Amino acid sequence: MRQIQHFIDGELASGHSTERGEVFDPTAGYQQAEVALGDEQDVADAVNAAHAAFGPWSHLTPLRRARILFKFKSLLDENRDALARLIASEHGKVFSDAQGEVTRGIEVVEFACGMPHLQKGEHSLNVGNGVDSYSLYQPLGVCVGITPFNFPAMVPMWMFPIAIAAGNTFVLKPADKDPSVSVRLAELLMEAGLPPGVFNVVQGRGPTANALITHPGVAAVSFVGSTPIAKHIYTTAAEHEKRVQALGGAKNHMVIMPDADLDGAVDALMGAAYGSAGERCMAISVAVPVGEQTAERLRNKLSEHLENLRVGPSLVDGPDNDMGPLVTAEHLERIRSYIASGVEEGADLVVDGRKRSFDTNPSGYFIGGSLFDHTRPGMRVYDEEIFGPVLCMARAQDLESAIALINANDFANGTAIFTESGYAARRFSEAIEVGMVGINVPIPVPMAFHSFGGWKRSLFGPLHVHGPDGVRFYTRMKTVTARWPEAAVAHGDAYSMPTH
Ligand code: NAD
């Protein structure tokens, strides 16, 4: 059986722990590899390696650090398809989608290549008589990233390129369901010339993550995953005096106004709801048509499109499928039980993905796309994050009740409105209590040079990831106030508050 290892201090490591996890092939439905599950000693080894590397790495000039990232970026370009195949083979997402994931990760590396500029401080001349004031943005030390299964390359790349470009060292704990790509990224970083110990990977599950976030040698923790774990990571890491940002789950609504281009909105909605089998934190999981007529037309068009949704394995050559299998048999079972609960709670199941038959391997974790109408708060399918190819419709009478419905939700990652009215778009973007808003854009994922993050229970901590917030998160500011007298001049003691 193929073994997936840790990557510590510049090399592959099987680690101290003998515990192993199963990695499945979602398309064929069998175990394809074993992954090491790190224990406290493995965590200590990785943190110690990162700690030892921090001094020399943080003292390297910013340009020399950036040059390694430029090289890493060109290696990622060369290896984009191989990385995408690796992701597809363990996650199950289709090849074209996996390619897109790698591209979005590469964009953060491109952003991080600008760190010599991004890390510059501010300077004020002559804030007092002969006194200057300036700020320094210095690295923190050993930073940790704990990441989810759904973007095994992109989400780690939201974090480590910026962290290491700023002079930090890094320990990544990827999800155990699709861990191979993390090791491949570590190898490419070495090939790019990164010194050993600057980037490390410790494989594992919750206990490994908990050993990392409580380790005294760790300065900062970035987490992306589900809301209950995000909250646990946020409180535990903060209690252990780490800087922490923890991004959680989502229930993203898309409002379709009566004046929207409905065909365009439906095309957008199909990709946003069912792409990557709904296993995206920015997937649209609730469609909110405004007015009964819009709702009826939307329901009919979505049902038609769902019949043509191409569900199947990842295809490298030729036109790809629209969506692949779910990540594990357990996750498939979870989605099936959500659909059953929606029916029990009285939601109107318009299209039942459980009934879809497939020509693919019957053991694969496939399910068709499902559509519920007439869902509302209080139903589990509406309230909870399903994280699968299930779209709920929740009808609203007007724009204000659509806004009120969304604002009443605990999650607040992304949202969108489809309309031709500038007024409606403006009112929506101002009043909505959600971190990322799309106007005629279904998945408003900000580019690498902007920051990504939700509000409310979709993000714990003040700083979002990548973009300007990413630079702030991975640096700490020091403000220096300096006086250089013309000559040694004796001053009398001054006890009053300095004013200028
Ligand atoms: P998850 O919360 O189960 O796991 C995320 C990470 O936490 C993994 O590395 C896992 O090993 C670790 N973990 C699990 N249990 C833990 C515990 N008890 N203590 C400490 N660490 C623990 O999430 P997942 O199923 O891998 O990913 C899907 C979730 O991630 C969804 O909720 C999705 O919305 C969310 N997500 C959010 C964003 C965002 O930007 N907000 C992006 C991607 C995914």
Side-chain angles (χ1 to χ4, degrees):
M1 178 84 54
R2 184 165 63 90
Q3 299 291 317
I4 302 162
Q5 296 182 298
H6 312 294
F7 193 93
I8 298 175
D9 208 11
E11 52 191 34
L12 289 167
S14 51
H16 295 266
S17 158
T18 51
E19 233 192 305
R20 296 287 177 267
E22 299 164 306
V23 178
F24 296 96
D25 174 343
T27 303
Y30 63 79
Q31 186 185 347
Q32 59 164 317
E34 272 188 347
V35 60
L37 300 177
D39 62 11
E40 285 191 6
Q41 187 57 52
D42 297 317
V43 163
D45 287 351
V47 174
N48 290 343
H51 206 261
F54 176 66
W57 179 247
S58 59
H59 286 111
L60 216 59
T61 65
L63 265 180
R64 290 181 71 179
R65 288 197 296 260
R67 280 183 196 133
I68 292 173
L69 282 156
F70 274 110
K71 177 84 176 121
F72 178 53
K73 183 252 172 307
S74 68
L75 287 170
L76 288 170
D77 285 336
E78 282 165 32
N79 287 275
R80 192 173 79 126
D81 287 358
L83 290 165
R85 269 195 295 276
L86 195 56
I87 294 167
S89 72
E90 291 181 357
H91 175 284
K93 66 177 71 175
V94 295
F95 180 63
S96 49
D97 195 31
Q99 281 178 312
E101 162 170 6
V102 179
T103 301
R104 294 306 298 254
I106 291 173
E107 288 166 4
V108 184
V109 179
E110 287 168 342
F111 172 71
C113 286
M115 195 57 79
H117 170 72
L118 296 166
Q119 209 172 346
K120 285 189 304 195
E122 293 169 333
H123 189 282
S124 298
L125 190 69
N126 220 23
V127 294
N129 228 351
V131 178
D132 302 332
S133 192
Y134 56 92
S135 50
L136 309 175
Y137 287 93
Q138 295 183 299
L140 310 169
V142 179
C143 299
V144 159
I146 297 166
T147 52
F149 81 84
N150 65 324
F151 286 108
M154 182 186 77
V155 170
M157 284 199 274
W158 283 354
M159 305 169 179
F160 74 77
I162 300 173
I164 63 179
N168 300 284
T169 55
F170 203 87
V171 181
L172 171 67
K173 207 266 340 129
D176 60 314
K177 297 185 178 83
D178 43 15
S180 291
V181 71
S182 63
V183 176
R184 193 65 200 115
L185 292 174
E187 288 170 345
L188 292 176
L189 281 165
M190 291 295 113
E191 209 178 316
L194 195 76
V198 176
F199 179 78
N200 308 273
V201 179
V202 186
Q203 308 288 359
R205 295 181 178 149
T208 318
N210 289 324
L212 273 168
I213 64 169
T214 53
H215 192 290
V218 168
V221 175
S222 300
F223 172 88
V224 176
S226 59
T227 289
I229 311 292
K231 188 171 177 189
H232 156 72
I233 297 277
Y234 182 72
T235 51
T236 312
E239 202 180 326
H240 285 78
E241 302 179 4
K242 322 286 182 208
R243 180 178 289 205
V244 49
Q245 56 183 175
L247 283 72
K251 194 81 186 177
N252 305 316
H253 295 61
M254 175 168 140
V255 176
I256 301 99
M257 295 296 288
D259 64 1
D261 159 17
L262 198 63
D263 288 325
V266 168
D267 286 346
L269 198 42
M270 287 298 297
Y274 301 106
S276 201
E279 292 168 325
R280 286 182 184 144
C281 64
M282 288 293 274
I284 295 293
S285 46
V286 184
V288 186
V290 169
E292 287 302 313
Q293 264 192 7
T294 316
E296 288 305 320
R297 288 167 61 217
L298 181 71
R299 174 183 169 135
N300 293 337
K301 281 184 187 287
L302 282 172
S303 323
E304 278 170 31
H305 277 65
L306 267 166
E307 279 174 27
N308 302 322
L309 185 72
R310 290 167 306 170
V311 184
S314 167
L315 301 173
V316 174
D317 301 315
D320 209 350
N321 278 306
D322 297 324
M323 102 184 194
L326 292 166
V327 67
T328 56
E330 191 187 349
H331 196 53
L332 174 63
E333 215 27 66
R334 191 168 164 264
I335 305 303
R336 287 177 162 278
S337 77
Y338 265 116
I339 299 171
S341 87
V343 174
E344 274 163 33
E345 288 176 321
D348 177 4
L349 184 56
V350 184
V351 178
D352 186 349
R354 296 172 301 180
K355 293 198 174 139
R356 174 123 185 201
S357 54
F358 301 98
D359 317 331
T360 52
N361 189 326
S363 309
Y365 314 136
F366 291 95
I367 188 168
S370 296
L371 177 67
F372 277 110
D373 194 1
H374 299 290
T375 66
R376 57 178 183 276
M379 291 178 174
R380 282 186 59 216
V381 280
Y382 177 83
D383 290 339
E384 297 176 18
E385 182 183 39
I386 300 176
F387 219 56
V390 181
L391 177 64
C392 294
M393 283 174 57
R395 301 176 177 217
Q397 281 177 342
D398 52 29
L399 176 61
E400 292 307 318
S401 44
I403 291 172
L405 177 78
I406 298 170
N407 285 351
N409 202 275
D410 278 351
F411 295 109
N413 213 35
T415 188
I417 184 168
F418 273 64
T419 182
E420 292 193 350
S421 153
Y423 168 79
R426 186 173 180 278
R427 166 77 190 138
F428 183 78
S429 53
E430 191 181 11
I432 211 72
E433 293 167 11
V434 174
M436 292 171 281
V437 180
I439 296 169
N440 298 318
V441 171
I443 305 187
V445 175
M447 295 297 286
F449 37 92
H450 287 264
S451 297
F452 178 111
W455 284 14
K456 302 199 289 196
R457 303 198 79 228
S458 293
L459 170 68
F460 299 93
L463 291 175
H464 295 203
V465 289
H466 64 64
D469 271 16
V471 179
R472 288 288 169 275
F473 186 79
Y474 290 118
T475 54
R476 53 184 163 177
M477 188 176 67
K478 183 184 281 171
T479 309
V480 181
T481 305
R483 167 182 283 138
W484 291 99
E486 191 179 337
V489 182
H491 292 285
D493 295 341
Y495 296 102
S496 57
M497 183 74 178
T499 55
H500 309 287

